[in-house]
């Protein structure tokens, strides 16, 4: 499992996670990876972080952590993969992995990191952030149903 982020400007940090991702492990990743990335990308504090509704993302502890660290999060509907643009980036990574030797865990991690940071399609796809208003409208129009994204 990886924790990753991106902005319209390109891919951000990518962190291979080990073990189960519970609230405490998630908060550690947020502290070590998200907060520095948000400060770098949004020094004025005007960034919004998008995450899904995984239990470790929505626990009371994590919500308090977000509030205590002034991390603005996007309000998120349940079961909405069509709204999550990072899934498009992971689709590119998965497609590219077919061309790499991933016979060991180390080789797999190295291949994912190489693709994430050096594949031009990943960087170009980050502009998908601009599609978010249309995605939201499409989901609303479909009453929460599946959309083309």
């Amino acid at each position: 499992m990886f924790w990753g982020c991106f902005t319209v400007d390109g891919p951000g940090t990518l962190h291979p996670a080990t073990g189960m991702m519970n609230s405490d492990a998630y908060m550690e990743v947020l502290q070590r990876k998200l907060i520095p990335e948000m400060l770098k990308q949004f020094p004025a504090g005007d960034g919004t972080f998008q995450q899904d509704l995984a239990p470790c993302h929505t626990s009371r502890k994590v919500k308090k952590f977000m509030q205590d660290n002034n991390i603005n999060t996007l309000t998120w509907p349940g079961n909405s993969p069509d709204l999550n643009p990072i899934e498009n980036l992971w689709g590119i990574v998965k497609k590219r992995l077919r061309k790499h030797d991933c016979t060991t865990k180390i080789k797999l991690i190295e291949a994912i990191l190489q693709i994430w940071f050096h594949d031009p399609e990943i960087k170009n796809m980050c502009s998908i952030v601009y599609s978010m208003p249309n995605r939201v409208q499409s989901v609303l129009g479909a009453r929460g149903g599946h959309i083309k994204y």
Side-chain angles (χ1 to χ4, degrees), residues 83-101:
L83 284 178
N84 198 341
I86 203 164
E87 296 302 329
N88 297 85
L89 300 184
W90 286 123
I92 295 167
V93 170
K94 290 174 186 175
K95 187 169 111 180
R96 297 291 191 269
L97 282 175
R98 294 182 201 137
K99 298 177 182 175
H100 288 265
D101 175 8

Side-chain angles (χ1 to χ4, degrees), residues 16 24 28-29 40 51 57 128 140:
D24 293 324
E28 183 179 330
V29 171
K40 181 174 96 179
Q51 61 183 359
H57 298 172
I128 198 165
L140 290 173

Side-chain angles (χ1 to χ4, degrees), residues 23-40:
S23 295
D24 293 324
Y26 187 57
M27 287 187 301
E28 183 179 330
V29 171
L30 296 175
Q31 182 70 49
R32 292 180 40 228
K33 301 297 179 179
L34 176 65
I35 291 175
E37 192 74 24
M38 292 290 284
L39 289 171
K40 181 174 96 179

